Amino acid sequence: MHVEGDLDLDQTLYTEEQIVTRLKEMETQIQTDYEGKYLLLVGVLKGAVMVMADLARSLDRHVEMDWMAVSSYGSGTQSSGVVRILKDLDTDLNDRHVLIVEDIIDTGLTLSWLITNLRSRGPASVEIATLLRKPEAQRMDVEVKYVGFDIPNAFVVGYGLDYNERYRNLRCIGTLSPHVYS
Ligand code: PRP
């Protein structure tokens, strides 16, 4: 392993500039859609921290931010869709406009569970914004209002996304070199 994480990348999928540009476009859409509404951003730890930080700061309005941590049980790398709350929100969602902020939707199981859970708490609305979405997620019954990029079914790291807790701090998003696995 190199100390410099980007040397472990096989390919850069999105540069920092491309990510920031796309987030700005998403922010413009969100600004329009939530005109006159007070927004609560809900980040899903840990992957969403970078998206949350950049999206929240690009919004030219007051927002609140809260966080959830969830863990999905499954065999190996396959998620079972059974989700456990490790850290719940501090905020009462009653009558709130909630926007869930995610780094990636992979199978869609986490978000499909989460949106049902949050909608049961009496909010005015619940929508999802994710920077990345994999094709498989589109087959799940989960409506995602704001998507940064649809990406191929490859293992990606950077900008909040990890492999064994590493690479979250890379400014770009890329695929890992095979030498990292072996
Ligand atoms: C990632 C991501 C989503 C979830 C999506 O989190 O942040 O929460 O997986 O996967 P799914 O669509 O297949 O359910 P992860 O469990 O890797 O935790 P992390 O955010 O702490 O890295």
Side-chain angles (χ1 to χ4, degrees), residues 4 8 10 19 25 33-34 36 41-42 52-53 59 73 80 82 93 100 118 125 136-137 143 145 148 151 153 156 166:
E4 297 86 0
D8 290 341
D10 192 27
I19 295 167
E25 290 166 357
D33 292 350
Y34 288 91
L41 302 178
V42 169
M52 179 72 128
L59 285 166
Y73 291 112
S80 64
V82 180
L93 296 192
I100 302 171
L118 298 192
S125 67
E136 200 183 335
E143 284 169 51
K145 193 156 186 188
I151 61 166
N153 212 357
V156 293
R166 289 195 185 116

Side-chain angles (χ1 to χ4, degrees), residues 73-119:
Y73 291 112
S75 53
T77 56
Q78 211 56 29
S79 175
S80 64
V82 180
V83 176
R84 185 166 61 111
I85 296 176
L86 302 176
K87 186 229 169 280
D88 207 342
L89 298 171
D90 300 323
T91 315
D92 181 351
L93 296 192
N94 198 38
D95 280 338
R96 299 300 305 269
H97 289 286
V98 177
L99 183 59
I100 302 171
V101 177
E102 262 290 20
D103 51 335
I104 189 166
I105 304 185
D106 192 340
T107 62
L109 290 168
T110 306
L111 262 292
S112 136
W113 179 90
L114 194 58
I115 200 161
T116 304
N117 181 286
L118 298 192
R119 279 186 176 149

